[in-house]
Amino acid sequence: MKTFIENMPKAELHVHIEGTLEPELSFALAQKNGVTLNAKTPEEMIAAYNFHDLPSFLDIYYAGMSVLIGEEDFYQLTMAYLTRAAQQNIVYVELFFDPQAHTSRGVSFHTVISGIDRARTDAATQLNVECQLILCFLRDMSAESAMQHLMMAEPYIDKLVGVGLDSDEKNNPPEKFSAVFAKARDMGLKLTMHCDVNQDNTLEHIRQVIEEIKVDRIDHGVNILASTELCDLAKAKKLGLTVCPVSNKFVVQSLTSKEIKDMLALGLTPCINSDDPSYFRAYLNENLVALQEEGGFSKQELVTLVENSFKASWLSEEGKAHYL
Ligand code: ADE
Ligand code: ZN
């Protein structure tokens, strides 16, 4: 099964570029940029990754970004992930990035997007990995800040496929960003939002993303299973759900294999993703292998999950046909 999973050409739709920062690169960049890290070795850094919920993860995730300063740093980070993706037989990626986490530290939007986009272009020719970018707004910052960043992105619009919403969900409902997402849609961008597992008001958040924001996809969204009405809506709209098993394990102590099977049985469109693979110590293949071991998924079910990634992607119809 492991070899079968490794050999399948795959797509990944839910991976945060900042969540791919490996400790070794972190140390190299810290030395280059004169940044002091809390840990003395990569092993010590990994040993401190003891998250048990979303906020405890986010604290470490944001602290880790302090080593990313120049355009070349963002290039190296992105090239490292896309190289890893190629090794995992991932042929297509939709990659999240969090500009506000960098502009708030004095790194310009131009620096961030230029480095990431240069790697994206190089990966297409050098690695045969196709990649599109999703600008993510931090939901624990204001809607005004999100709108300012959307405006900052306007000159770079041809480099983006969509916008997303991530970070701490508590007291930050989707509707806080209604105007920002409406504007993004007017600009021709696709829309997605995180509805992390077991957050406060999760069903109301899922309802808002489907009915009010009218997203094109939902990130995580596992709690949808508690509402027949929402499942019917998601099915009718063929909404992809980008589930992240190993990430879920940190929050709900389960890879949510049962929930993923239930989604398949209901005719929903779940697909499997790594979220923050460096912090959770599992890239896409490791997520699929762990999921298969926990849930006993058949080869056909695994193929369906991988096909769902392409179906739920924001490739053109011709692009999808090329891979499916
Ligand atoms: N930012 C990076 N990973 C995230 C996640 N799983 N949930 C919310 N925000 C995130
Ligand atoms: Zn995520």
Side-chain angles (χ1 to χ4, degrees):
M1 272 299 191
K2 185 164 178 279
T3 311
F4 178 78
I5 287 168
E6 287 168 356
N7 287 342
M8 264 192 292
K10 292 169 287 286
E12 173 145 66
L13 307 182
H14 183 160
V15 53
H16 302 262
I17 193 58
E18 296 88 349
T20 71
L21 177 59
E22 286 288 335
E24 288 76 13
L25 180 57
S26 202
F27 273 86
L29 294 177
Q31 191 171 27
K32 183 184 103 177
N33 292 327
V35 174
T36 309
L37 295 171
N38 285 334
K40 291 200 176 50
T41 62
E43 294 72 29
E44 203 180 303
M45 188 178 264
I46 293 169
Y49 293 169
N50 43 20
F51 349 101
H52 45 278
D53 56 13
L54 187 53
S56 61
F57 160 70
L58 290 171
D59 284 348
I60 292 175
Y61 169 78
Y62 290 122
M65 296 178 199
S66 63
V67 299
L68 297 165
I69 308 282
E71 190 262 6
E72 179 67 23
D73 303 345
F74 287 91
Y75 176 84
Q76 270 191 45
L77 173 70
T78 310
M79 219 39 192
Y81 164 69
L82 292 171
T83 302
R84 193 81 171 238
Q87 288 162 356
Q88 294 228 333
N89 243 324
I90 297 172
V91 293
Y92 176 71
V93 180
E94 285 173 13
L95 191 59
F96 288 129
F97 69 111
D98 285 340
Q100 288 158 295
H102 309 300
T103 55
S104 60
R105 301 181 289 113
V107 177
S108 75
F109 186 88
H110 176 77
T111 299
V112 177
I113 196 160
S114 302
I116 297 173
D117 186 63
R118 187 159 63 88
R120 183 182 84 89
T121 311
D122 282 355
T125 53
Q126 295 172 19
L127 303 168
N128 261 325
V129 179
E130 188 180 352
C131 175
Q132 302 203 80
L133 303 180
I134 305 174
L135 185 165
C136 243
F137 302 110
L138 304 187
R139 67 200 305 158
D140 42 5
M141 293 186 74
S142 67
E144 290 71 31
S145 170
M147 191 64 99
Q148 282 163 6
H149 283 76
L150 184 60
M151 293 301 100
M152 274 180 216
E154 213 166 15
Y156 307 89
I157 194 87
D158 60 319
K159 303 188 186 312
L160 299 176
V161 67
V163 292
L165 185 72
D166 65 0
S167 204
D168 195 357
E169 199 166 327
K170 196 177 170 67
N171 300 324
N172 295 302
E175 63 185 9
K176 173 176 166 186
F177 297 94
S178 296
V180 180
F181 276 68
K183 175 81 184 159
R185 184 183 292 291
D186 286 348
M187 290 163 69
L189 296 168
K190 297 281 191 183
L191 314 182
T192 186
M193 286 185 165
H194 278 55
C195 291
D196 273 84
V197 185
N198 284 11
Q199 300 297 299
D200 291 353
N201 305 321
T202 182
L203 282 186
E204 170 57 14
H205 288 190
I206 295 173
R207 188 197 67 73
Q208 286 179 16
V209 301
I210 300 176
E211 291 192 332
E212 293 180 26
I213 310 292
K214 298 189 169 58
V215 290
D216 301 287
R217 201 157 71 208
I218 302 178
D219 296 312
H220 298 287
V222 172
N223 295 105
I224 197 170
L225 290 165
S227 163
T228 309
E229 191 194 338
L230 291 174
C231 283
D232 289 348
L233 268 178
K235 190 176 162 185
K237 291 173 185 278
K238 295 195 171 73
L239 283 183
L241 294 135
T242 65
V243 185
C244 306
V246 176
S247 169
N248 289 345
K249 184 144 187 136
F250 286 94
V251 186
V252 288
Q253 288 71 55
S254 156
L255 296 166
T256 59
S257 55
K258 175 167 183 326
E259 289 82 350
I260 292 163
K261 283 210 163 174
D262 290 348
M263 287 179 179
L264 289 174
L266 285 171
L268 292 168
T269 313
C271 62
I272 306 304
N273 303 270
S274 69
D275 207 359
D276 301 287
S278 170
Y279 290 96
F280 302 138
R281 310 308 296 153
Y283 284 78
L284 182 54
N285 282 348
E286 291 76 38
N287 268 269
L288 283 161
V289 168
L291 182 72
Q292 198 283 326
E293 283 172 1
E294 183 184 275
F297 284 74
S298 66
K299 285 186 180 173
Q300 185 50 54
E301 285 170 321
L302 293 169
V303 168
T304 299
L305 287 167
V306 169
E307 283 177 352
N308 282 350
S309 303
F310 290 103
K311 287 182 184 160
S313 77
W314 293 335
L315 283 160
S316 64
E317 288 309 313
E318 302 81 69
K320 288 184 191 183
H322 170 75
Y323 291 113
L324 280 167

